Amino acid sequence: MTTFALIDGNNFYVSCERVFNPKLEGKPVVVLSNNDGCAVARSLEVKALGVKMGTPWFQMQDLARKHGIIALSSNYTLYADLSNRMMSVLGTFSPHQEVYSIDECFLALDGFNIDLTAYGQVIRQRVHRWTGIPVCVGIGPSKTLAKLANHIAKKRPEWKSVCDLGTLSEQDLNTLLDSIEVGEVWGVGSRIREKLATLQIHTVLALKQADSGLIRRQFSVVMERTVMELRGISCLALEEVAPAKQQIMCSRSFGAPVMLLTELREAVTSYATRAAEKLRRQSSVAGAVHVFISTSPFREKNPQYSQGLTIPLPDATSDTLKLVKAVLWGLKHIYRPGYRYVKAGVMLMDIAPAATQQNSLFADEVAEESTVQLMQTMDMINRKMGKDSIFLASAGIRKHWQMKRGNKSPSYTTNWDELAEVR
């Protein structure tokens, strides 16, 4: 019988901040998105005040002053490093692990002839002791039930942060599922929830007991699998190797409006460079690039303009120089002076494995090999010495367009100049 555990970091970004700043414990904390725009993580104290995910910071000002909400800029370098540490610890608890997101992973517990609830508590204690991150553990016979069990462990104190649905009788399990709104099921978004409501399916139990054939006809085979998973029939295998991305996007809002083509060139060069690094990391090549720029639709008094262009490449590549050249060519053709641009982005498309790439008849293999070595050297130096230790000149130096992060915590674990200080 298959058994899965889903381990999830509690309020992950906030928890990462608290690891190195214990003064934040017990206080209302929000982590803000790029340019300190809106809430992307909220402590339990902030959630208790009714602040929703995605609430703009400017709308919280009165509440923040009244309740002392502490707002921090996003520090993704810190969060990614602590995530890697957490996943490394979790990987010691099972030979089979799927890292699902920055703060979640599945473990396969098939054949573990032990008390899984006690094992879940051991997992929680070790992760917290070794990384400082509090986690909850959900256990079930399918990935969908394990994810639901994690939700229960997080929301219901009586489970003490570990919920093993396998310990419940069928009747007790159904009673529990009948108390949970169907929107809490993995993959059931607002549109699907609304459509399920027209079929009088409002709870998880109702979805579990629904006619699977009807669900398939009304929705899709994916929803039919969800029904089967809720019945304890595992339909989703563990993905121990993450599939390569079919598109890679790098996009940011600017810290201040940009009008000059030179500054837009710097921004899209930086974005294309970052996207190319991700492309090489998964050993892929791109056959086309897309570049776009846009003004702010919220500043209605300003002239509005948004445009993008897709540029097919003669040969699929992961060469930063070639990708940037194509992106800058596209930018030149879509740029219009006189507008206050607030966002730009680059997307790599037609992605395929580099190993299956067939060169054109007139390709210079010696030059191609030299390019591969150059990119490998660039990546190695930037990994060893820090991001942008080597970068293209067209990315600029001053970068006035970079996003605002006025309240960013130090990069305690990845920057020698920002190590935590002990007094």
Side-chain angles (χ1 to χ4, degrees), residues 197-310:
T198 64
L199 300 174
Q200 301 304 309
I201 297 175
H202 302 286
T203 68
V204 178
L205 179 63
L207 181 58
K208 173 186 175 180
Q209 296 178 338
D211 182 332
S212 58
L214 172 65
I215 294 296
R216 179 170 183 165
R217 291 191 298 273
Q218 292 287 328
F219 297 90
S220 65
V221 67
V222 175
M223 274 300 294
E224 182 187 28
R225 287 180 188 145
T226 297
V227 172
M228 302 309 289
E229 288 249 318
L230 290 175
R231 295 174 183 173
I233 302 171
S234 179
C235 302
L236 303 173
L238 209 65
E239 295 184 9
E240 296 183 57
V241 179
K245 295 181 179 178
Q246 299 303 303
Q247 293 181 333
I248 295 176
M249 165 81 83
C250 190
S251 174
R252 297 285 188 277
S253 295
F254 303 138
V258 169
M259 298 187 71
L260 300 178
L261 177 60
T262 52
E263 292 188 314
L264 286 174
R265 284 170 56 89
E266 292 179 0
V268 299
T269 295
S270 293
Y271 301 158
T273 299
R274 198 72 60 241
E277 289 173 354
K278 295 179 181 178
L279 185 69
R280 291 192 292 274
R281 202 175 301 146
Q282 67 176 41
S283 301
S284 298
V285 291
V289 297
H290 181 82
V291 58
F292 68 88
I293 50 178
S294 65
T295 56
S296 174
F298 303 106
R299 299 181 179 181
E300 298 177 357
K301 294 182 180 180
N302 293 342
Q304 298 294 310
Y305 176 73
S306 296
Q307 188 59 269
L309 183 65
T310 299

Side-chain angles (χ1 to χ4, degrees), residues 84-139:
N84 290 336
R85 297 180 186 210
M86 185 177 87
M87 297 307 169
S88 178
V89 175
L90 291 172
T92 65
F93 286 94
S94 171
H96 305 290
Q97 177 186 31
E98 176 189 337
V99 177
Y100 179 66
S101 68
I102 192 170
D103 63 341
E104 292 178 281
C105 88
F106 287 100
L107 298 178
L109 303 181
D110 305 355
F112 281 50
N113 190 23
I114 56 175
D115 182 338
L116 294 181
T117 299
Y119 196 58
Q121 291 295 349
V122 172
I123 291 173
R124 287 188 62 248
Q125 292 161 12
R126 188 175 301 174
V127 170
H128 191 263
R129 187 184 305 119
W130 289 10
T131 70
I133 304 295
V135 300
C136 286
V137 181
I139 301 170

